[in-house]
Amino acid sequence: KVNSTMLGYIEKRAVQIYIITHDGKMWLLRRCSKHSIGRWEVPTGKCDPGESFLDAAQRELREEAGLTLPLGRFMYQCTITTSSVDEVDVVWTVATYGVLLSPEETPVLNEPQVHDLLQKFDNTEVIRLPKTMTFDMSESIRKIWTNQNDYV
């Protein structure tokens, strides 16, 4: 069996989670540390060793946005594979999920050392925002697959 190391690269896994309001808007976080400072993204994070994409999505949503939701609330969106922006010979596989919030559910800014702002946007606003590379790629793929800009 051929693996990524034999092909000359290291494969890492991550998730990102679209947080969609009951009225079709999206909650986004603005980065304030490491890479992509000032760019917007959805909750995103690495999979721990042995952790499934879905379990990682649930954990990252709790860690970054303070939302604890059952696995059944996570809707698969797409998977992208991209080269690392800051690591040579690393390829990331990123699974994207979406969660639809009830009117009573609101995310909170849980990691102020990573994100300095949590804000809700409609789809026309999201298009114009400076985004992280991974979020920008998943947005492009989602629009092609769904043939629309709406989130619900």
Side-chain angles (χ1 to χ4, degrees), residues 64-99:
E64 293 191 14
L67 294 168
T68 302
L69 301 177
L71 292 176
R73 297 268 307 271
F74 289 77
M75 301 165 288
Y76 174 76
Q77 301 289 312
C78 66
T79 300
I80 61 172
T81 302
T82 181
S83 299
S84 176
V85 294
D86 55 3
E87 298 173 290
V88 178
D89 299 328
V90 172
V91 173
W92 285 94
T93 300
V94 183
T96 302
Y97 294 89
V99 293

Side-chain angles (χ1 to χ4, degrees), residues 13 22 24 35 46 56 76 130:
R13 298 166 57 243
H22 68 286
H35 62 83
K46 299 174 186 174
Y76 174 76

Side-chain angles (χ1 to χ4, degrees), residues 3-21:
N3 62 38
S4 58
T5 305
M6 297 166 122
L7 296 174
Y9 65 91
I10 299 166
E11 183 179 31
K12 295 188 177 182
R13 298 166 57 243
V15 294
Q16 56 182 4
I17 307 96
Y18 282 50
I19 304 173
I20 309 303
T21 64

Side-chain angles (χ1 to χ4, degrees), residues 6 9-10 16-17 40 44 48 52-54 57 62 67 69 83 95 97 100 105 121 131:
M6 297 166 122
Y9 65 91
I10 299 166
Q16 56 182 4
I17 307 96
W40 293 88
T44 303
D48 290 335
S52 72
F53 283 119
L54 193 52
R62 183 181 64 251
L67 294 168
L69 301 177
S83 299
Y97 294 89
L100 184 61
E105 295 171 315
F121 295 95
K131 301 173 206 49

